[in-house]
Amino acid sequence: MTDAIETVFETVATTAADVRGALAERRAYADAENPSGEQQLAADVYADELLEERLLALDGVGSYASEERDGVVEADDAGQYHVACDPLDGSSNLQSNNGMGTIVGVFDESLPAPGSALVASGFVLYGPITTMLVARGGTVTEYLLDGEERSVLTEDVAIPDDPVVYGFGGRIPDWTDQFRSYVDDIEADRLKLRYGGAMVADVNQVITYGGIFGYPMLEERPEGKLRLQFEGHPIAHVIETAGGASSNGTQSLLDCDPDGLHERTPVFVGSESLVDRLESALS
Ligand code: FBP
């Protein structure tokens, strides 16, 4: 892969150390909302500012966008790649000291970009240890991040075929009848419920054990909660590169092209068998 992409993930890895180190002092809510109308934590703003400054300074990066800011920020100099971030995914978990993450998508088209323009993707998981998964060139690599150090933990990460865990967001009474019957169906397969309120942490369980994660369409909110460009696209790219599948309920998230930068979408990612059953159940 080109050095420019390697440099993006080197920068994300070193920035993750600074983000993790800053969390304890930034648990309070800032007096601002993000473009999706959600309250911002001081940690959201801090992570976003660090990533914007450091990624835009890279030669290969032409622009930066994130869930935390309205528009796309252009670099001073043109660059081949355009980076979309969720700087602190699951930040509502900070007050309860549960897992959170940073999600990164690298596109070779200007933002908002179609899923087909993703050339690399990845996420950092702030768990008991800090890890980073990177999908590029048809393979997923898991790294251990320890301060400024980055070492390979697992090469060619592959999602297990036999599903074990499942987790879906939203309130059950708000689910559609079709989706609820799908969940009843897979619960009969004796899967274990794992839902922790941070997509990156829940998705990492799915990649590790096999299963499915989703934030579904809701009766009153058919588009669901998660953002296509900042969450759906990069996580789908990681999962599909690891041999899994993704869907918005009818097609791969990588075949979905956002009209707007902050467009929301139902998100389902995981073992191919469970995603296929979902699309059948919703058809
Ligand atoms: P952000 O924190 O980046 O806005 O991410 C949204 C998110 O926290 C996901 O990480 C998670 O899957 C979902 O929302 C949890 O939603 P809810 O609190 O409704 O269960």
PDB file of all heavy atoms in Angstrom, residues 71-96:
ATOM      1  N   GLY A  71     -18.765  20.724   8.099  1.00  0.00           N
ATOM      2  CA  GLY A  71     -18.330  20.550   6.718  1.00  0.00           C
ATOM      3  C   GLY A  71     -16.970  19.898   6.598  1.00  0.00           C
ATOM      4  O   GLY A  71     -16.345  19.514   7.590  1.00  0.00           O
ATOM      5  N   VAL A  72     -16.535  19.784   5.349  1.00  0.00           N
ATOM      6  CA  VAL A  72     -15.226  19.194   5.024  1.00  0.00           C
ATOM      7  C   VAL A  72     -14.161  20.285   5.155  1.00  0.00           C
ATOM      8  O   VAL A  72     -14.372  21.426   4.727  1.00  0.00           O
ATOM      9  CB  VAL A  72     -15.229  18.632   3.588  1.00  0.00           C
ATOM     10  CG1 VAL A  72     -13.863  18.046   3.228  1.00  0.00           C
ATOM     11  CG2 VAL A  72     -16.330  17.565   3.433  1.00  0.00           C
ATOM     12  N   VAL A  73     -13.039  19.951   5.778  1.00  0.00           N
ATOM     13  CA  VAL A  73     -11.932  20.906   5.906  1.00  0.00           C
ATOM     14  C   VAL A  73     -10.870  20.556   4.872  1.00  0.00           C
ATOM     15  O   VAL A  73     -10.379  19.415   4.840  1.00  0.00           O
ATOM     16  CB  VAL A  73     -11.320  20.857   7.321  1.00  0.00           C
ATOM     17  CG1 VAL A  73     -10.226  21.919   7.474  1.00  0.00           C
ATOM     18  CG2 VAL A  73     -12.405  21.067   8.374  1.00  0.00           C
ATOM     19  N   GLU A  74     -10.565  21.508   3.996  1.00  0.00           N
ATOM     20  CA  GLU A  74      -9.571  21.256   2.949  1.00  0.00           C
ATOM     21  C   GLU A  74      -8.166  21.519   3.485  1.00  0.00           C
ATOM     22  O   GLU A  74      -7.949  22.446   4.281  1.00  0.00           O
ATOM     23  CB  GLU A  74      -9.827  22.186   1.749  1.00  0.00           C
ATOM     24  CG  GLU A  74     -11.209  22.040   1.107  1.00  0.00           C
ATOM     25  CD  GLU A  74     -11.434  20.672   0.479  1.00  0.00           C
ATOM     26  OE1 GLU A  74     -10.425  20.019   0.096  1.00  0.00           O
ATOM     27  OE2 GLU A  74     -12.604  20.236   0.405  1.00  0.00           O
ATOM     28  N   ALA A  75      -7.213  20.679   3.063  1.00  0.00           N
ATOM     29  CA  ALA A  75      -5.808  20.910   3.425  1.00  0.00           C
ATOM     30  C   ALA A  75      -5.274  22.090   2.623  1.00  0.00           C
ATOM     31  O   ALA A  75      -5.818  22.445   1.571  1.00  0.00           O
ATOM     32  CB  ALA A  75      -4.996  19.658   3.113  1.00  0.00           C
ATOM     33  N   ASP A  76      -4.213  22.713   3.115  1.00  0.00           N
ATOM     34  CA  ASP A  76      -3.589  23.830   2.373  1.00  0.00           C
ATOM     35  C   ASP A  76      -3.118  23.351   1.003  1.00  0.00           C
ATOM     36  O   ASP A  76      -3.225  24.048   0.001  1.00  0.00           O
ATOM     37  CB  ASP A  76      -2.399  24.389   3.170  1.00  0.00           C
ATOM     38  CG  ASP A  76      -2.875  25.035   4.481  1.00  0.00           C
ATOM     39  OD1 ASP A  76      -4.083  25.391   4.528  1.00  0.00           O
ATOM     40  OD2 ASP A  76      -2.078  25.124   5.430  1.00  0.00           O
ATOM     41  N   ASP A  77      -2.574  22.126   0.977  1.00  0.00           N
ATOM     42  CA  ASP A  77      -2.096  21.583  -0.310  1.00  0.00           C
ATOM     43  C   ASP A  77      -2.980  20.417  -0.726  1.00  0.00           C
ATOM     44  O   ASP A  77      -3.439  19.652   0.115  1.00  0.00           O
ATOM     45  CB  ASP A  77      -0.637  21.086  -0.167  1.00  0.00           C
ATOM     46  CG  ASP A  77       0.261  22.207   0.387  1.00  0.00           C
ATOM     47  OD1 ASP A  77       0.074  23.370  -0.069  1.00  0.00           O
ATOM     48  OD2 ASP A  77       1.052  21.933   1.297  1.00  0.00           O
ATOM     49  N   ALA A  78      -3.184  20.271  -2.010  1.00  0.00           N
ATOM     50  CA  ALA A  78      -4.011  19.171  -2.528  1.00  0.00           C
ATOM     51  C   ALA A  78      -3.395  17.842  -2.104  1.00  0.00           C
ATOM     52  O   ALA A  78      -2.162  17.705  -2.020  1.00  0.00           O
ATOM     53  CB  ALA A  78      -4.091  19.256  -4.047  1.00  0.00           C
ATOM     54  N   GLY A  79      -4.275  16.881  -1.820  1.00  0.00           N
ATOM     55  CA  GLY A  79      -3.779  15.543  -1.455  1.00  0.00           C
ATOM     56  C   GLY A  79      -4.697  14.494  -2.052  1.00  0.00           C
ATOM     57  O   GLY A  79      -5.885  14.751  -2.276  1.00  0.00           O
ATOM     58  N   GLN A  80      -4.143  13.316  -2.325  1.00  0.00           N
ATOM     59  CA  GLN A  80      -4.907  12.272  -3.024  1.00  0.00           C
ATOM     60  C   GLN A  80      -6.032  11.714  -2.178  1.00  0.00           C
ATOM     61  O   GLN A  80      -7.059  11.274  -2.705  1.00  0.00           O
ATOM     62  CB  GLN A  80      -3.940  11.140  -3.402  1.00  0.00           C
ATOM     63  CG  GLN A  80      -4.561   9.997  -4.167  1.00  0.00           C
ATOM     64  CD  GLN A  80      -3.535   8.915  -4.479  1.00  0.00           C
ATOM     65  OE1 GLN A  80      -2.366   9.016  -4.101  1.00  0.00           O
ATOM     66  NE2 GLN A  80      -3.964   7.890  -5.183  1.00  0.00           N
ATOM     67  N   TYR A  81      -5.864  11.700  -0.841  1.00  0.00           N
ATOM     68  CA  TYR A  81      -6.810  10.990   0.015  1.00  0.00           C
ATOM     69  C   TYR A  81      -7.633  11.937   0.879  1.00  0.00           C
ATOM     70  O   TYR A  81      -7.176  13.031   1.246  1.00  0.00           O
ATOM     71  CB  TYR A  81      -6.054   9.976   0.891  1.00  0.00           C
ATOM     72  CG  TYR A  81      -5.327   8.944   0.073  1.00  0.00           C
ATOM     73  CD1 TYR A  81      -3.939   8.867   0.077  1.00  0.00           C
ATOM     74  CD2 TYR A  81      -6.036   8.066  -0.753  1.00  0.00           C
ATOM     75  CE1 TYR A  81      -3.276   7.942  -0.704  1.00  0.00           C
ATOM     76  CE2 TYR A  81      -5.379   7.132  -1.538  1.00  0.00           C
ATOM     77  CZ  TYR A  81      -3.993   7.068  -1.509  1.00  0.00           C
ATOM     78  OH  TYR A  81      -3.326   6.159  -2.293  1.00  0.00           O
ATOM     79  N   HIS A  82      -8.839  11.454   1.174  1.00  0.00           N
ATOM     80  CA  HIS A  82      -9.801  12.254   1.942  1.00  0.00           C
ATOM     81  C   HIS A  82     -10.243  11.404   3.124  1.00  0.00           C
ATOM     82  O   HIS A  82     -10.743  10.283   2.942  1.00  0.00           O
ATOM     83  CB  HIS A  82     -10.967  12.650   1.041  1.00  0.00           C
ATOM     84  CG  HIS A  82     -10.475  13.343  -0.210  1.00  0.00           C
ATOM     85  ND1 HIS A  82     -10.215  14.700  -0.263  1.00  0.00           N
ATOM     86  CD2 HIS A  82     -10.122  12.836  -1.426  1.00  0.00           C
ATOM     87  CE1 HIS A  82      -9.750  15.006  -1.468  1.00  0.00           C
ATOM     88  NE2 HIS A  82      -9.664  13.893  -2.188  1.00  0.00           N
ATOM     89  N   VAL A  83     -10.045  11.924   4.340  1.00  0.00           N
ATOM     90  CA  VAL A  83     -10.220  11.120   5.557  1.00  0.00           C
ATOM     91  C   VAL A  83     -11.492  11.525   6.291  1.00  0.00           C
ATOM     92  O   VAL A  83     -11.714  12.716   6.549  1.00  0.00           O
ATOM     93  CB  VAL A  83      -9.002  11.259   6.493  1.00  0.00           C
ATOM     94  CG1 VAL A  83      -9.163  10.357   7.721  1.00  0.00           C
ATOM     95  CG2 VAL A  83      -7.709  10.903   5.757  1.00  0.00           C
ATOM     96  N   ALA A  84     -12.326  10.524   6.594  1.00  0.00           N
ATOM     97  CA  ALA A  84     -13.566  10.745   7.358  1.00  0.00           C
ATOM     98  C   ALA A  84     -13.429  10.017   8.690  1.00  0.00           C
ATOM     99  O   ALA A  84     -13.088   8.836   8.717  1.00  0.00           O
ATOM    100  CB  ALA A  84     -14.767  10.209   6.577  1.00  0.00           C
ATOM    101  N   CYS A  85     -13.689  10.741   9.785  1.00  0.00           N
ATOM    102  CA  CYS A  85     -13.473  10.170  11.125  1.00  0.00           C
ATOM    103  C   CYS A  85     -14.703  10.289  12.024  1.00  0.00           C
ATOM    104  O   CYS A  85     -15.447  11.254  11.949  1.00  0.00           O
ATOM    105  CB  CYS A  85     -12.351  10.937  11.828  1.00  0.00           C
ATOM    106  SG  CYS A  85     -10.709  10.555  11.246  1.00  0.00           S
ATOM    107  N   ASP A  86     -14.860   9.282  12.861  1.00  0.00           N
ATOM    108  CA  ASP A  86     -15.644   9.444  14.073  1.00  0.00           C
ATOM    109  C   ASP A  86     -14.599   9.490  15.183  1.00  0.00           C
ATOM    110  O   ASP A  86     -14.103   8.454  15.605  1.00  0.00           O
ATOM    111  CB  ASP A  86     -16.616   8.269  14.256  1.00  0.00           C
ATOM    112  CG  ASP A  86     -17.453   8.442  15.520  1.00  0.00           C
ATOM    113  OD1 ASP A  86     -17.192   9.389  16.290  1.00  0.00           O
ATOM    114  OD2 ASP A  86     -18.344   7.598  15.751  1.00  0.00           O
ATOM    115  N   PRO A  87     -14.246  10.691  15.630  1.00  0.00           N
ATOM    116  CA  PRO A  87     -13.087  10.829  16.520  1.00  0.00           C
ATOM    117  C   PRO A  87     -13.191  10.046  17.819  1.00  0.00           C
ATOM    118  O   PRO A  87     -12.211   9.471  18.287  1.00  0.00           O
ATOM    119  CB  PRO A  87     -13.014  12.337  16.783  1.00  0.00           C
ATOM    120  CG  PRO A  87     -13.759  12.965  15.652  1.00  0.00           C
ATOM    121  CD  PRO A  87     -14.829  11.995  15.293  1.00  0.00           C
ATOM    122  N   LEU A  88     -14.379  10.038  18.415  1.00  0.00           N
ATOM    123  CA  LEU A  88     -14.565   9.290  19.665  1.00  0.00           C
ATOM    124  C   LEU A  88     -15.934   8.619  19.615  1.00  0.00           C
ATOM    125  O   LEU A  88     -16.951   9.152  20.062  1.00  0.00           O
ATOM    126  CB  LEU A  88     -14.434  10.210  20.877  1.00  0.00           C
ATOM    127  CG  LEU A  88     -14.202   9.506  22.212  1.00  0.00           C
ATOM    128  CD1 LEU A  88     -12.974   8.589  22.163  1.00  0.00           C
ATOM    129  CD2 LEU A  88     -14.030  10.518  23.336  1.00  0.00           C
ATOM    130  N   ASP A  89     -15.923   7.409  19.031  1.00  0.00           N
ATOM    131  CA  ASP A  89     -17.174   6.648  18.884  1.00  0.00           C
ATOM    132  C   ASP A  89     -17.597   6.082  20.234  1.00  0.00           C
ATOM    133  O   ASP A  89     -16.765   5.554  20.979  1.00  0.00           O
ATOM    134  CB  ASP A  89     -16.942   5.500  17.901  1.00  0.00           C
ATOM    135  CG  ASP A  89     -18.102   4.541  17.881  1.00  0.00           C
ATOM    136  OD1 ASP A  89     -19.186   4.936  17.436  1.00  0.00           O
ATOM    137  OD2 ASP A  89     -17.930   3.410  18.361  1.00  0.00           O
ATOM    138  N   GLY A  90     -18.878   6.240  20.552  1.00  0.00           N
ATOM    139  CA  GLY A  90     -19.367   5.710  21.821  1.00  0.00           C
ATOM    140  C   GLY A  90     -18.973   6.584  22.999  1.00  0.00           C
ATOM    141  O   GLY A  90     -18.840   6.115  24.126  1.00  0.00           O
ATOM    142  N   SER A  91     -18.789   7.887  22.735  1.00  0.00           N
ATOM    143  CA  SER A  91     -18.279   8.772  23.799  1.00  0.00           C
ATOM    144  C   SER A  91     -19.222   8.849  24.993  1.00  0.00           C
ATOM    145  O   SER A  91     -18.796   9.180  26.105  1.00  0.00           O
ATOM    146  CB  SER A  91     -18.008  10.174  23.247  1.00  0.00           C
ATOM    147  OG  SER A  91     -19.153  10.685  22.611  1.00  0.00           O
ATOM    148  N   SER A  92     -20.495   8.485  24.793  1.00  0.00           N
ATOM    149  CA  SER A  92     -21.410   8.476  25.954  1.00  0.00           C
ATOM    150  C   SER A  92     -20.978   7.405  26.969  1.00  0.00           C
ATOM    151  O   SER A  92     -21.401   7.419  28.115  1.00  0.00           O
ATOM    152  CB  SER A  92     -22.856   8.219  25.499  1.00  0.00           C
ATOM    153  OG  SER A  92     -22.903   7.014  24.757  1.00  0.00           O
ATOM    154  N   ASN A  93     -20.085   6.491  26.560  1.00  0.00           N
ATOM    155  CA  ASN A  93     -19.569   5.472  27.486  1.00  0.00           C
ATOM    156  C   ASN A  93     -18.472   6.006  28.399  1.00  0.00           C
ATOM    157  O   ASN A  93     -18.035   5.315  29.326  1.00  0.00           O
ATOM    158  CB  ASN A  93     -19.006   4.276  26.701  1.00  0.00           C
ATOM    159  CG  ASN A  93     -20.081   3.248  26.369  1.00  0.00           C
ATOM    160  OD1 ASN A  93     -21.230   3.392  26.778  1.00  0.00           O
ATOM    161  ND2 ASN A  93     -19.704   2.230  25.636  1.00  0.00           N
ATOM    162  N   LEU A  94     -18.009   7.225  28.137  1.00  0.00           N
ATOM    163  CA  LEU A  94     -16.884   7.745  28.930  1.00  0.00           C
ATOM    164  C   LEU A  94     -17.291   7.913  30.388  1.00  0.00           C
ATOM    165  O   LEU A  94     -16.560   7.523  31.303  1.00  0.00           O
ATOM    166  CB  LEU A  94     -16.400   9.077  28.335  1.00  0.00           C
ATOM    167  CG  LEU A  94     -15.213   9.753  29.045  1.00  0.00           C
ATOM    168  CD1 LEU A  94     -14.052   8.791  29.233  1.00  0.00           C
ATOM    169  CD2 LEU A  94     -14.753  10.980  28.248  1.00  0.00           C
ATOM    170  N   GLN A  95     -18.495   8.438  30.608  1.00  0.00           N
ATOM    171  CA  GLN A  95     -18.921   8.694  32.002  1.00  0.00           C
ATOM    172  C   GLN A  95     -19.098   7.380  32.767  1.00  0.00           C
ATOM    173  O   GLN A  95     -18.967   7.341  33.983  1.00  0.00           O
ATOM    174  CB  GLN A  95     -20.208   9.520  31.987  1.00  0.00           C
ATOM    175  CG  GLN A  95     -19.987  10.850  31.248  1.00  0.00           C
ATOM    176  CD  GLN A  95     -20.742  12.013  31.837  1.00  0.00           C
ATOM    177  OE1 GLN A  95     -21.810  11.800  32.405  1.00  0.00           O
ATOM    178  NE2 GLN A  95     -20.194  13.204  31.729  1.00  0.00           N
ATOM    179  N   SER A  96     -19.396   6.308  32.051  1.00  0.00           N
ATOM    180  CA  SER A  96     -19.568   5.002  32.728  1.00  0.00           C
ATOM    181  C   SER A  96     -18.308   4.144  32.608  1.00  0.00           C
ATOM    182  O   SER A  96     -18.295   2.969  33.000  1.00  0.00           O
ATOM    183  CB  SER A  96     -20.747   4.258  32.081  1.00  0.00           C
ATOM    184  OG  SER A  96     -20.494   4.072  30.692  1.00  0.00           O
TER     185      SER A  96
END
